[in-house]
Amino acid sequence: MASLRRVKVLLVLNLIAVAGFVLFLAKCRPITAKTGDSFHDIHPRAEVANLTAHGISSIQDAVLKRLSLLEDIVYRQLNGLSKSLGLIEGYGGRGKGGLPATLSPEEEEKAKGPHEKYGYNSYLSEKISLDRSIPDYRPTKCKELKYGKDLPQISIIFIFVNEALSVILRSVHSAVNHTPAHLLKEIILVDDNSDEEELKAPLEEYVNKRYPGLVKVVRNQKREGLIRARIEGWKAATGQITGFFDAHVEFTAGWAEPVLSRIQENRRRVILPSIDNIKQDNFEVQRYENSAHGYSWELWCMYISPPKDWWDAGDPSLPIR
């Protein structure tokens, strides 16, 4: 009798829990975005809401949508950090989709000085979102490839000296937004003794609050040069694999898995991902055709057409040696 009573109590409690959950879904109202904003535009993980296409029940989908809205609230609060730096977050705005961004005639005048200083239009960069979307230029077969869940984690290392703050932070945001969380061990920013004030306390305060525990800042006490700066980043890394990048890059979806998979197969491999171009004047993302990378005798970086056997294989997902 005692066991039967316990079963009845459990059934009643389950019924109450289900009823309460249904009432919660019925009573809660969607949170309305402010005029001119949309959660799709500002939320870097909005893809969560699309999981119903993979067989999740309608109730689970409703819960995920509400969790997504709650995450948007947090995201809006964090967005205030970038505003204090005069920068923008979210997927909207100028340069969206990797298209050319433009300035008004008045803004063009203000942009001349910074452009000469950095070698790219840093003034325009401040008007482009740190989270902007860019095209996925991967060949169709690359998008169809499947990878194991046991891939090693990567430490992403950015080396910079007197780089524009907006460009550095866009590199960080892009890495976080387009690297699966379980594969991204950390991001390490190595400052090779910059003297720009915005790259000191403002940069450090932003990454510590925006990505607590994920982003580390390593500062060289004197100018060490590219290679020694990379070594300092490597010393600070704790991931199984280290990736070294310029601090003016943007990642596309699916970049990490093939890189980590190749190295997992053979730890002696050094992998260079396919690199497209970001134009220095308007930040347009320009697609480069399939190519290998090399150097001329004057040590200028150059693109080399893949060998004939690569073309004959007819598989653009294959690596180019």
Side-chain angles (χ1 to χ4, degrees):
M1 290 296 291
S3 61
L4 181 61
R5 190 178 299 112
R6 282 196 295 270
V7 171
K8 288 182 178 178
V9 170
L10 288 174
L11 286 173
V12 171
L13 289 175
N14 277 308
L15 287 172
I16 292 172
V18 171
F21 183 69
V22 172
L23 285 172
F24 169 76
L25 292 179
K27 294 294 183 182
C28 288
R29 294 289 183 266
I31 300 168
T32 305
K34 293 180 181 178
T35 304
D37 289 340
S38 72
F39 287 119
H40 176 73
D41 283 343
I42 68 167
H43 179 42
R45 306 281 187 181
E47 294 85 357
V48 175
N50 295 325
L51 291 176
T52 47
H54 302 284
I56 294 180
S57 71
S58 58
I59 292 180
Q60 288 174 312
D61 184 48
V63 173
L64 287 172
K65 286 181 179 179
R66 296 197 181 282
L67 287 175
S68 178
L69 292 176
L70 290 173
E71 192 175 355
D72 285 322
I73 295 173
V74 176
Y75 189 77
R76 283 179 177 276
Q77 296 298 317
L78 293 172
N79 196 18
L81 296 174
S82 61
K83 288 180 179 177
S84 67
L85 298 174
L87 304 177
I88 306 165
E89 294 191 36
Y91 278 158
R94 305 186 208 189
K96 179 180 178 180
L99 296 174
T102 57
L103 294 171
S104 67
E106 295 78 12
E107 290 174 325
E108 289 283 2
E109 285 299 314
K110 297 178 182 178
K112 288 181 179 178
H115 196 157
E116 294 174 1
K117 177 179 178 180
Y118 291 107
Y120 52 75
N121 198 336
S122 61
Y123 183 88
L124 175 59
S125 175
E126 295 175 358
K127 312 300 179 185
I128 299 172
S129 172
L130 302 178
D131 296 305
R132 76 150 173 176
S133 57
I134 60 174
D136 185 351
Y137 285 139
R138 291 178 297 163
T140 301
K141 189 161 185 178
C142 290
K143 298 177 185 179
E144 295 172 348
L145 293 175
K146 304 297 181 183
Y147 299 94
K149 296 180 179 180
D150 62 338
L151 293 175
Q153 289 185 312
I154 187 170
S155 295
I156 294 177
I157 302 172
F158 293 119
I159 313 297
F160 67 91
V161 55
N162 293 332
E163 193 95 54
L165 178 60
S166 61
V167 170
I168 294 174
L169 293 183
R170 188 173 301 109
S171 300
V172 171
H173 275 247
S174 179
V176 173
N177 291 345
H178 296 112
T179 308
H182 69 287
L183 298 180
L184 180 57
K185 178 66 175 180
E186 64 207 346
I187 295 174
I188 299 173
L189 302 176
V190 181
D191 174 13
D192 196 20
N193 199 231
S194 299
D195 46 37
E196 295 285 346
E197 286 302 320
E198 66 176 3
L199 300 181
K200 297 178 181 179
L203 168 63
E204 205 147 340
E205 181 179 357
Y206 177 87
V207 296
N208 287 341
K209 290 183 177 179
R210 186 66 179 81
Y211 299 113
L214 181 64
V215 180
K216 304 176 184 177
V217 180
V218 174
R219 298 193 185 275
N220 292 336
Q221 298 306 306
K222 63 185 180 71
R223 191 70 51 80
E224 297 288 356
L226 177 62
I227 301 305
R228 282 196 290 267
R230 284 178 171 173
I231 292 172
E232 291 304 311
W234 174 77
K235 288 178 182 177
T238 61
Q240 296 163 280
I241 292 174
T242 50
F244 298 93
F245 298 91
D246 292 328
H248 43 258
V249 299
E250 295 179 56
F251 295 83
T252 56
W255 78 272
E257 292 90 334
V259 169
L260 301 179
S261 177
R262 300 281 186 204
I263 298 175
Q264 186 182 50
E265 292 171 1
N266 183 349
R267 63 184 296 272
R268 294 180 179 274
R269 287 176 177 160
V270 177
I271 306 297
L272 180 64
S274 178
I275 300 174
D276 295 309
N277 183 45
I278 302 173
K279 292 187 178 180
Q280 62 183 21
D281 295 325
N282 56 21
F283 286 81
E284 177 186 4
V285 178
Q286 178 185 27
R287 182 180 184 179
Y288 280 174
E289 295 302 322
N290 294 322
S291 61
H293 298 265
Y295 295 90
S296 68
W297 285 108
E298 295 176 326
L299 296 183
W300 288 103
C301 181
M302 60 187 295
Y303 293 88
I304 303 169
S305 179
K308 183 177 182 301
D309 57 353
W310 187 89
W311 289 110
D312 290 345
D315 183 357
S317 70
L318 293 175
I320 304 169
R321 185 171 178 82

